[in-house]
Amino acid sequence: MKLDHIAVAGETLEAAQAHVEGALGVPLQEGGQHARFGTHNALLGLADGLYLEAIAVDPTQTPEHTPRWFDLDRFTGQPRLTNWICSAEDLARTLENLPQAGHIHALSRGALQWQMAVPETGVLPFDNLCPALLQWDCPHPAAALTQQGCSLQRLIVCHPEAKALAQLCGPVKGPVVFETGAPQLIAEIQTPHGLRLLQ
């Protein structure tokens, strides 16, 4: 598995986007809608082929499938970094070793095509801190995103059962570390304004 992108959820997309822009001091760009799960997003290109998405339920859409991914049906409170997403060259094969990640959905948005594993409940194991898994069936979208001079230095995955989560995930390509603690994600991101924390 390879770290692909990280996701910040909000009760609204405007709130999620404002949270990221306030924390990092750079603007996000328009993303799009996900008709399958009734969500929409805004995006930030990061160095090394990574990116960040702000995501929320889209009130103008009726989802084709529920529950929504990323446990967004139950999301409440302040915007926060909620999920990390890894790519796999062969998603079906990867799921043989990590079936908890869910069932495969074939998805598209504009020219983008990908496969995504989503649990039937929308809830990922380890308090949603197990990575979501996808496989791109098109050129990676990060290449088309405007760079704002930001790079992910470390993604810290905190959980009381951090060792078990790390063992479940196996080797992950990318700056991911596991630490024992209360469930949360912390991203250390180098920006034009210095090192910033996003959580």
Side-chain angles (χ1 to χ4, degrees), residues 72-124:
L72 284 172
D73 287 315
R74 302 191 306 165
F75 184 90
T76 59
Q78 295 299 310
R80 55 193 178 273
L81 183 60
T82 53
N83 294 92
W84 57 299
I85 299 89
C86 289
S87 61
E89 292 184 3
D90 187 336
L91 180 57
R93 188 169 183 176
T94 301
L95 287 174
E96 291 176 1
N97 298 318
L98 194 60
Q100 303 94 323
H103 302 287
I104 296 176
H105 293 256
L107 304 167
S108 64
R109 180 171 67 79
L112 299 178
Q113 296 183 344
W114 71 102
Q115 301 173 56
M116 186 95 180
V118 181
E120 290 185 2
T121 62
V123 182
L124 287 157

Side-chain angles (χ1 to χ4, degrees), residues 143-161:
L145 296 177
T146 302
Q147 291 291 315
Q148 300 288 350
C150 295
S151 61
L152 177 64
Q153 302 300 297
R154 285 201 310 167
L155 176 66
I156 305 169
V157 182
C158 299
H159 195 274
E161 300 177 74

Side-chain angles (χ1 to χ4, degrees), residues 9-10 39 55-57 68-76 82 122:
T39 60
I55 190 168
V57 169
R68 289 178 171 90
W69 52 8
F70 301 135
D71 199 17
L72 284 172
D73 287 315
R74 302 191 306 165
F75 184 90
T76 59
T82 53

Side-chain angles (χ1 to χ4, degrees), residues 149-183:
C150 295
S151 61
L152 177 64
Q153 302 300 297
R154 285 201 310 167
L155 176 66
I156 305 169
V157 182
C158 299
H159 195 274
E161 300 177 74
K163 290 183 178 179
L165 177 56
Q167 185 176 13
L168 179 68
C169 295
V172 177
K173 296 179 182 178
V176 179
V177 297
F178 297 87
E179 294 186 358
T180 302

Side-chain angles (χ1 to χ4, degrees), residues 11-30:
E11 291 187 355
T12 66
L13 181 56
E14 292 76 13
Q17 182 169 344
H19 178 69
V20 176
E21 292 178 344
L24 304 184
V26 297
L28 275 65
Q29 66 188 82
E30 184 178 350

